[in-house]
Amino acid sequence: MWTWIHKLGSPPHFYRIATRLTPWFGWAALLLIVAGIYGGLYVAPTDYQQLDGFRIIYVHVPSASLSLFIYVNMALAAAVGLVWRIKLAHAIAAACAPIGASFTFLALATGSIWAKPMWGTWWVWDARLTSELVLLFLYFGYMALRAAIDDENRADRASALLAIIGVINVPIIKYSVDWWNTLHQPATLSKLGKPSMDPDMLIWLLMMLAGFMCFFAAVVLTRARAEVLLRARDQRWVRQALEGR
Amino acid sequence: MMDIPGLGTAFVLQVKRDLQLAFRHVGQLANPLMFFIMVTTLFPLALNPMPRLLEAIAPGVLWVAALLASLLAAEGLFRQDVDDGTMEQLALSPQPLALMLLAKTIAHWLITGLPLVIMSPVVGYALFLPRDAVPTTMIALALATPILNLVGGSMAALTVGLRRGGGLLSLLILPIVMPVLIFGARATDMAMTGVDPAGALYLLAALLLLAVSLTPFAMAAAMRISLD
């Protein structure tokens, strides 16, 4: 078990495994997302109140969940890198940030497209919108700090510390913003036991969520591979790996 | 072997040293305070000096100005000590770096945070803040400004080695201290409308405890990364 983990921590080994896994995740993501989009847009019944307008949740909810999921992932990878000094973990954390920021932006954009017909305005200072916006700022801060430090080792550790501070703060920000104001409808997926959604609609949402997860896995592995190659650019295994193709 | 001063002694000495250094440059000392007063002066000029309007925006203006003033102060918290090598000696000293940095931040709060708390009634008066809201605002600011300094200190320690730290520092600090702004401004707002602000004050106090117990270690870790 432990030797397997240690082996995974070595860049060449990770590179090989990631190269093999990426297409699997990529194809799974494509299949799930295509099926989920078809199901969500054509098969799922129309909402009695929001009519067809609700269908944007098939993109909105998965991106919103992923925006937070990726941040936690990034902080975990950063913590592993900081505590056990595994460079690979830092590479993964660095690979996570732009993807997470993109999903956060997507969640905000789809949310405001939904809000325009439903609430009559593109933006309201609603609790969940605002905490999502703060999350976007947290991602930007992380990426800006990483970009501002030239030395790779220092950039890794400084941004890892920032990610950990950020992840401790996420629940506080979330809670404070909830306390500050709320007019959003209650969360769609929060009640795991008894979802407030019709099963015919929910199944496609879960499919989209799984598809987005696979998409994230495929993209993060690709980005991490590039990051690993960049970091090990003067080592022999990189030349072998690239010439062997 | 040389006698090593105890933790308490070292802590007090560190606070004293920083205060002494600060009082040697009285001009710089007043900068955050001046900034706080100037920013609050800008609002009546930019908007409309109508008492009712000013009263309505007073909590927000007061709190945003305090936040920005602490942001401005955070920039210089560790810079000089890192530049002249004092920080390296602190990091090498037998006392835990976290404690020493906490001492520095407390001295920093006494210089930059406490004056804001003391001046807030005057600024509040100029903004037509109702008199009932003044004590609550002072208590809330007294709880909030140390949090701002502690978080600012952690982020300043992360960016102290960088040449272009300024804009970056605000990008790092502002999202993290947003809850402080929310609870603080809401405490003032509640006191203005006659609602009991205890809830908001307790939440600020809880955040302060959290910040005092966690940020010194974050500061120390960040400083060690920056000193590398």
Side-chain angles (χ1 to χ4, degrees):
Chain A
M1 171 74 184
W2 284 109
T3 47
W4 186 79
I5 289 177
H6 281 300
K7 249 176 110 181
L8 195 61
S10 92
H13 191 71
F14 168 80
Y15 184 82
R16 268 197 306 277
I17 290 192
T19 313
R20 218 174 303 153
L21 282 179
T22 308
W24 287 95
F25 280 120
W27 284 108
L30 189 70
L31 286 177
L32 284 166
I33 290 177
V34 166
I37 291 256
Y38 174 76
L41 295 192
Y42 294 102
V43 182
T46 305
D47 188 77
Y48 79 99
Q49 219 177 4
Q50 305 180 359
L51 304 179
D52 279 336
F54 92 98
R55 291 183 196 274
I56 200 165
I57 66 158
Y58 291 111
V59 179
H60 175 71
V61 172
S63 21
S65 349
L66 270 173
S67 65
L68 203 59
F69 173 78
I70 295 175
Y71 197 88
V72 174
N73 249 344
M74 182 176 88
L76 277 179
V80 167
L82 201 60
V83 173
W84 288 286
R85 305 194 170 233
I86 301 174
K87 295 228 169 112
L88 180 65
H90 286 306
I92 291 177
C96 280
I99 313 172
S102 317
F103 275 121
T104 315
F105 180 76
L106 190 62
L108 280 170
T110 50
S112 76
I113 291 170
W114 176 85
K116 182 62 183 161
M118 295 302 159
W119 293 339
T121 164
W122 294 104
W123 181 261
V124 287
W125 287 99
D126 152 76
R128 285 205 276 153
L129 281 176
T130 312
S131 35
E132 196 71 12
L133 187 65
V134 178
L135 187 64
L136 188 63
F137 293 152
L138 285 176
Y139 275 119
F140 283 162
Y142 177 90
M143 292 195 287
L145 181 66
R146 183 173 272 286
I149 307 178
D150 297 325
D151 178 55
E152 187 180 86
N153 188 21
R154 255 187 63 193
D156 278 346
R157 288 190 294 148
S159 54
L161 193 64
L162 183 69
I164 295 167
I165 297 174
V167 88
I168 294 173
N169 253 277
V170 162
I172 302 178
I173 293 172
K174 175 99 184 76
Y175 175 73
S176 70
V177 171
D178 276 350
W179 186 81
W180 165 67
N181 191 0
T182 189
L183 79 247
H184 206 289
Q185 58 183 12
T188 315
L189 271 180
S190 67
K191 287 169 275 174
L192 275 178
K194 201 173 136 229
S196 51
M197 236 181 138
D198 189 73
D200 289 346
M201 296 177 178
L202 187 67
I203 175 101
W204 305 112
L205 185 59
L206 294 177
M207 196 176 271
M208 283 299 276
L209 190 61
F212 271 49
M213 288 278 187
C214 289
F215 175 75
F216 164 63
V219 177
V220 84
L221 285 178
T222 309
R223 287 191 67 95
R225 270 165 59 206
E227 190 81 31
V228 164
L229 285 185
L230 184 70
R231 285 164 185 238
R233 55 187 172 275
D234 43 8
Q235 287 177 18
R236 198 189 298 151
W237 71 263
V238 172
R239 198 181 308 154
Q240 285 169 350
L242 293 182
E243 277 168 358
R245 304 201 305 165
Chain B
M1 199 179 150
M2 201 176 56
D3 266 354
I4 296 168
L7 290 184
T9 323
F11 188 84
V12 173
L13 283 175
Q14 183 64 46
V15 174
K16 266 192 190 158
R17 168 191 175 268
D18 274 25
L19 288 180
Q20 212 162 29
L21 272 179
F23 280 109
R24 299 243 169 99
H25 305 276
V26 181
Q28 288 174 13
L29 199 72
N31 276 351
L33 184 62
M34 284 302 133
F35 181 83
F36 177 60
I37 297 171
M38 296 279 265
V39 169
T40 46
T41 315
L42 291 180
F43 281 88
L45 293 178
L47 293 162
N48 189 333
M50 242 181 358
R52 273 185 51 208
L53 174 71
L54 289 181
E55 189 192 322
I57 62 164
V61 171
L62 206 69
W63 278 91
V64 171
L67 190 69
L68 293 179
S70 79
L71 199 66
L72 188 76
E75 179 80 54
L77 179 48
F78 300 127
R79 171 128 312 163
Q80 207 190 342
D81 283 339
V82 169
D83 285 349
D84 67 12
T86 314
M87 195 53 81
E88 300 238 340
Q89 297 305 316
L90 274 183
L92 292 172
S93 75
Q95 279 81 26
L97 183 60
L99 193 75
M100 294 295 102
L101 294 182
L102 179 64
K104 289 186 77 65
T105 316
I106 288 176
H108 180 73
W109 177 73
L110 289 172
I111 301 158
T112 64
L114 194 57
L116 297 193
V117 180
I118 295 169
M119 275 306 275
S120 61
V122 179
V123 172
Y125 186 80
L127 291 172
F128 301 101
L129 190 73
R131 207 161 296 163
D132 309 335
V134 168
T136 307
T137 305
M138 285 184 79
I139 296 171
L141 272 173
L143 290 170
T145 42
I147 311 175
L148 299 178
N149 289 149
L150 285 164
V151 174
S154 324
M155 298 302 162
L158 267 184
T159 56
V160 74
L162 305 178
R163 223 161 289 146
R164 327 150 261 184
L168 180 62
L169 195 57
S170 45
L171 186 58
L172 300 186
I173 295 178
L174 287 178
I176 303 253
V177 296
M178 222 163 270
V180 178
L181 179 74
I182 292 175
F183 294 135
R186 192 44 59 96
T188 305
D189 201 47
M190 283 165 127
M192 268 172 71
T193 47
V195 185
D196 183 17
L201 292 179
Y202 288 147
L203 284 168
L204 276 178
L207 284 184
L208 177 60
L209 284 180
L210 192 70
V212 167
S213 45
L214 289 184
T215 51
F217 300 101
M219 270 195 271
M223 191 51 85
R224 288 196 194 280
I225 293 169
S226 289
L227 287 178
D228 251 11

PDB file of all heavy atoms in Angstrom, chain B residues 87-103:
ATOM      1  N   MET B  87      14.619  40.083  10.952  1.00  0.00           N
ATOM      2  CA  MET B  87      13.714  38.952  10.901  1.00  0.00           C
ATOM      3  C   MET B  87      14.469  37.629  10.879  1.00  0.00           C
ATOM      4  O   MET B  87      14.066  36.655  11.507  1.00  0.00           O
ATOM      5  CB  MET B  87      12.825  39.092   9.669  1.00  0.00           C
ATOM      6  CG  MET B  87      11.616  38.206   9.684  1.00  0.00           C
ATOM      7  SD  MET B  87      10.623  38.377  11.165  1.00  0.00           S
ATOM      8  CE  MET B  87       9.687  39.827  10.767  1.00  0.00           C
ATOM      9  N   GLU B  88      15.612  37.591  10.181  1.00  0.00           N
ATOM     10  CA  GLU B  88      16.409  36.362  10.153  1.00  0.00           C
ATOM     11  C   GLU B  88      16.855  36.007  11.560  1.00  0.00           C
ATOM     12  O   GLU B  88      16.824  34.840  11.968  1.00  0.00           O
ATOM     13  CB  GLU B  88      17.641  36.566   9.276  1.00  0.00           C
ATOM     14  CG  GLU B  88      17.324  36.909   7.848  1.00  0.00           C
ATOM     15  CD  GLU B  88      17.925  35.909   6.883  1.00  0.00           C
ATOM     16  OE1 GLU B  88      18.859  35.209   7.303  1.00  0.00           O
ATOM     17  OE2 GLU B  88      17.448  35.831   5.741  1.00  0.00           O
ATOM     18  N   GLN B  89      17.266  37.037  12.308  1.00  0.00           N
ATOM     19  CA  GLN B  89      17.710  36.778  13.683  1.00  0.00           C
ATOM     20  C   GLN B  89      16.551  36.268  14.532  1.00  0.00           C
ATOM     21  O   GLN B  89      16.722  35.361  15.341  1.00  0.00           O
ATOM     22  CB  GLN B  89      18.276  38.064  14.302  1.00  0.00           C
ATOM     23  CG  GLN B  89      19.502  38.581  13.589  1.00  0.00           C
ATOM     24  CD  GLN B  89      20.587  37.528  13.499  1.00  0.00           C
ATOM     25  OE1 GLN B  89      20.862  36.834  14.467  1.00  0.00           O
ATOM     26  NE2 GLN B  89      21.184  37.396  12.328  1.00  0.00           N
ATOM     27  N   LEU B  90      15.373  36.842  14.324  1.00  0.00           N
ATOM     28  CA  LEU B  90      14.196  36.370  15.063  1.00  0.00           C
ATOM     29  C   LEU B  90      13.911  34.918  14.723  1.00  0.00           C
ATOM     30  O   LEU B  90      13.590  34.110  15.595  1.00  0.00           O
ATOM     31  CB  LEU B  90      12.975  37.219  14.710  1.00  0.00           C
ATOM     32  CG  LEU B  90      12.773  38.500  15.492  1.00  0.00           C
ATOM     33  CD1 LEU B  90      11.474  39.158  15.063  1.00  0.00           C
ATOM     34  CD2 LEU B  90      12.745  38.220  16.981  1.00  0.00           C
ATOM     35  N   ALA B  91      14.032  34.588  13.442  1.00  0.00           N
ATOM     36  CA  ALA B  91      13.745  33.224  13.014  1.00  0.00           C
ATOM     37  C   ALA B  91      14.765  32.257  13.601  1.00  0.00           C
ATOM     38  O   ALA B  91      14.450  31.094  13.874  1.00  0.00           O
ATOM     39  CB  ALA B  91      13.745  33.141  11.495  1.00  0.00           C
ATOM     40  N   LEU B  92      16.005  32.737  13.808  1.00  0.00           N
ATOM     41  CA  LEU B  92      17.047  31.867  14.363  1.00  0.00           C
ATOM     42  C   LEU B  92      16.998  31.805  15.881  1.00  0.00           C
ATOM     43  O   LEU B  92      17.584  30.920  16.489  1.00  0.00           O
ATOM     44  CB  LEU B  92      18.426  32.381  13.948  1.00  0.00           C
ATOM     45  CG  LEU B  92      18.758  32.268  12.465  1.00  0.00           C
ATOM     46  CD1 LEU B  92      20.063  32.985  12.166  1.00  0.00           C
ATOM     47  CD2 LEU B  92      18.853  30.812  12.072  1.00  0.00           C
ATOM     48  N   SER B  93      16.302  32.756  16.499  1.00  0.00           N
ATOM     49  CA  SER B  93      16.315  32.849  17.957  1.00  0.00           C
ATOM     50  C   SER B  93      15.622  31.643  18.572  1.00  0.00           C
ATOM     51  O   SER B  93      14.805  30.992  17.931  1.00  0.00           O
ATOM     52  CB  SER B  93      15.621  34.136  18.401  1.00  0.00           C
ATOM     53  OG  SER B  93      14.242  33.978  18.266  1.00  0.00           O
ATOM     54  N   PRO B  94      15.964  31.322  19.839  1.00  0.00           N
ATOM     55  CA  PRO B  94      15.370  30.140  20.467  1.00  0.00           C
ATOM     56  C   PRO B  94      13.868  30.295  20.731  1.00  0.00           C
ATOM     57  O   PRO B  94      13.178  29.300  20.905  1.00  0.00           O
ATOM     58  CB  PRO B  94      16.149  30.001  21.779  1.00  0.00           C
ATOM     59  CG  PRO B  94      16.754  31.322  22.026  1.00  0.00           C
ATOM     60  CD  PRO B  94      16.985  31.941  20.690  1.00  0.00           C
ATOM     61  N   GLN B  95      13.372  31.519  20.760  1.00  0.00           N
ATOM     62  CA  GLN B  95      11.936  31.700  20.978  1.00  0.00           C
ATOM     63  C   GLN B  95      11.165  31.316  19.727  1.00  0.00           C
ATOM     64  O   GLN B  95      11.673  31.517  18.619  1.00  0.00           O
ATOM     65  CB  GLN B  95      11.622  33.162  21.333  1.00  0.00           C
ATOM     66  CG  GLN B  95      11.859  33.504  22.776  1.00  0.00           C
ATOM     67  CD  GLN B  95      13.328  33.770  23.044  1.00  0.00           C
ATOM     68  OE1 GLN B  95      14.047  34.156  22.145  1.00  0.00           O
ATOM     69  NE2 GLN B  95      13.761  33.564  24.273  1.00  0.00           N
ATOM     70  N   PRO B  96       9.967  30.781  19.898  1.00  0.00           N
ATOM     71  CA  PRO B  96       9.192  30.427  18.710  1.00  0.00           C
ATOM     72  C   PRO B  96       8.871  31.664  17.872  1.00  0.00           C
ATOM     73  O   PRO B  96       8.466  32.703  18.414  1.00  0.00           O
ATOM     74  CB  PRO B  96       7.916  29.793  19.276  1.00  0.00           C
ATOM     75  CG  PRO B  96       7.908  30.114  20.718  1.00  0.00           C
ATOM     76  CD  PRO B  96       9.301  30.399  21.142  1.00  0.00           C
ATOM     77  N   LEU B  97       9.084  31.522  16.583  1.00  0.00           N
ATOM     78  CA  LEU B  97       8.857  32.646  15.675  1.00  0.00           C
ATOM     79  C   LEU B  97       7.400  33.102  15.718  1.00  0.00           C
ATOM     80  O   LEU B  97       7.107  34.295  15.636  1.00  0.00           O
ATOM     81  CB  LEU B  97       9.251  32.233  14.254  1.00  0.00           C
ATOM     82  CG  LEU B  97       9.146  33.304  13.177  1.00  0.00           C
ATOM     83  CD1 LEU B  97      10.025  34.485  13.491  1.00  0.00           C
ATOM     84  CD2 LEU B  97       9.492  32.732  11.810  1.00  0.00           C
ATOM     85  N   ALA B  98       6.477  32.132  15.897  1.00  0.00           N
ATOM     86  CA  ALA B  98       5.047  32.481  15.918  1.00  0.00           C
ATOM     87  C   ALA B  98       4.780  33.501  17.027  1.00  0.00           C
ATOM     88  O   ALA B  98       4.060  34.487  16.819  1.00  0.00           O
ATOM     89  CB  ALA B  98       4.205  31.231  16.131  1.00  0.00           C
ATOM     90  N   LEU B  99       5.379  33.260  18.183  1.00  0.00           N
ATOM     91  CA  LEU B  99       5.149  34.150  19.323  1.00  0.00           C
ATOM     92  C   LEU B  99       5.725  35.542  19.051  1.00  0.00           C
ATOM     93  O   LEU B  99       5.109  36.569  19.354  1.00  0.00           O
ATOM     94  CB  LEU B  99       5.785  33.550  20.564  1.00  0.00           C
ATOM     95  CG  LEU B  99       5.380  34.190  21.879  1.00  0.00           C
ATOM     96  CD1 LEU B  99       3.976  33.755  22.238  1.00  0.00           C
ATOM     97  CD2 LEU B  99       6.353  33.835  22.968  1.00  0.00           C
ATOM     98  N   MET B 100       6.922  35.566  18.467  1.00  0.00           N
ATOM     99  CA  MET B 100       7.563  36.852  18.187  1.00  0.00           C
ATOM    100  C   MET B 100       6.750  37.655  17.166  1.00  0.00           C
ATOM    101  O   MET B 100       6.593  38.866  17.294  1.00  0.00           O
ATOM    102  CB  MET B 100       8.982  36.621  17.649  1.00  0.00           C
ATOM    103  CG  MET B 100       9.933  36.005  18.644  1.00  0.00           C
ATOM    104  SD  MET B 100      10.257  37.095  20.037  1.00  0.00           S
ATOM    105  CE  MET B 100       9.245  36.405  21.284  1.00  0.00           C
ATOM    106  N   LEU B 101       6.230  36.948  16.175  1.00  0.00           N
ATOM    107  CA  LEU B 101       5.441  37.652  15.164  1.00  0.00           C
ATOM    108  C   LEU B 101       4.121  38.128  15.754  1.00  0.00           C
ATOM    109  O   LEU B 101       3.620  39.196  15.394  1.00  0.00           O
ATOM    110  CB  LEU B 101       5.198  36.751  13.951  1.00  0.00           C
ATOM    111  CG  LEU B 101       6.462  36.403  13.165  1.00  0.00           C
ATOM    112  CD1 LEU B 101       6.115  35.550  11.955  1.00  0.00           C
ATOM    113  CD2 LEU B 101       7.188  37.646  12.714  1.00  0.00           C
ATOM    114  N   LEU B 102       3.567  37.332  16.677  1.00  0.00           N
ATOM    115  CA  LEU B 102       2.350  37.778  17.366  1.00  0.00           C
ATOM    116  C   LEU B 102       2.642  39.059  18.141  1.00  0.00           C
ATOM    117  O   LEU B 102       1.855  40.020  18.114  1.00  0.00           O
ATOM    118  CB  LEU B 102       1.842  36.677  18.307  1.00  0.00           C
ATOM    119  CG  LEU B 102       0.588  37.022  19.102  1.00  0.00           C
ATOM    120  CD1 LEU B 102      -0.585  37.230  18.168  1.00  0.00           C
ATOM    121  CD2 LEU B 102       0.254  35.930  20.104  1.00  0.00           C
ATOM    122  N   ALA B 103       3.811  39.111  18.810  1.00  0.00           N
ATOM    123  CA  ALA B 103       4.193  40.315  19.546  1.00  0.00           C
ATOM    124  C   ALA B 103       4.301  41.501  18.603  1.00  0.00           C
ATOM    125  O   ALA B 103       3.811  42.604  18.901  1.00  0.00           O
ATOM    126  CB  ALA B 103       5.517  40.079  20.260  1.00  0.00           C
TER     127      ALA B 103
END
